[in-house]
Amino acid sequence: MATTNPSFMNGVPELLVLRLLRGREMYGYEIVQAIREETAEVVSLGEGVVYPVLHALERSGAITSERRSVGGRSRIYYALSPQGVSRLTELTELWSRITGAVGQVLVGGDRAGLV
């Protein structure tokens, strides 16, 4: 029997942050803006959501941070760690399964197609 995860939407900010950091190092507000841009403003996560996700990911070892002075401003840049790459793979696979299952229901697929 498959396990359920009723709070699967809680993982969406984490998934988006990890995916964006896969491409390059970014600072917090840059991540907030990139999520809006990359999702064509369908997903808009404020700093009050993104920063706690960043802090949790850093505590778990999924990302690293480095404070830098840029144009007289101090910014914390975040980068994906090897653990973060593994976590991104895990979340991506989970999200693909969830969206595939929901897609089957939306198009009226039979239950046999839901794995």
Side-chain angles (χ1 to χ4, degrees):
M1 171 172 255
T3 59
T4 62
N5 185 0
S7 62
F8 70 87
M9 289 302 290
N10 291 338
V12 172
E14 180 183 4
L15 175 61
L16 294 175
V17 167
L18 289 171
R19 177 57 183 93
L20 287 169
L21 290 176
R22 187 182 83 174
R24 64 185 169 97
E25 294 179 343
M26 301 174 85
Y27 58 93
Y29 185 70
E30 185 178 19
I31 294 169
V32 169
Q33 293 299 107
I35 290 170
R36 283 190 186 122
E37 291 170 13
E38 295 288 326
T39 65
E41 298 189 22
V42 171
V43 178
S44 180
L45 303 176
E47 293 172 52
V49 172
V50 171
Y51 282 104
V53 168
L54 287 169
H55 297 152
L57 287 169
E58 187 173 18
R59 279 192 306 275
S60 74
I63 63 173
T64 60
S65 67
E66 179 184 337
R67 185 174 295 276
R68 297 182 194 154
S69 182
V70 179
R73 247 190 154 136
S74 179
R75 290 187 176 148
I76 299 174
Y77 281 80
Y78 298 92
L80 202 58
S81 72
Q83 282 178 271
V85 172
S86 295
R87 180 69 177 147
L88 174 59
T89 299
E90 176 186 322
L91 288 174
T92 300
E93 289 170 0
L94 175 60
W95 186 251
S96 293
R97 286 182 44 224
I98 290 168
T99 57
V102 170
Q104 285 292 323
V105 171
L106 292 176
V107 297
D110 62 36
R111 289 178 52 130
L114 298 177
V115 179

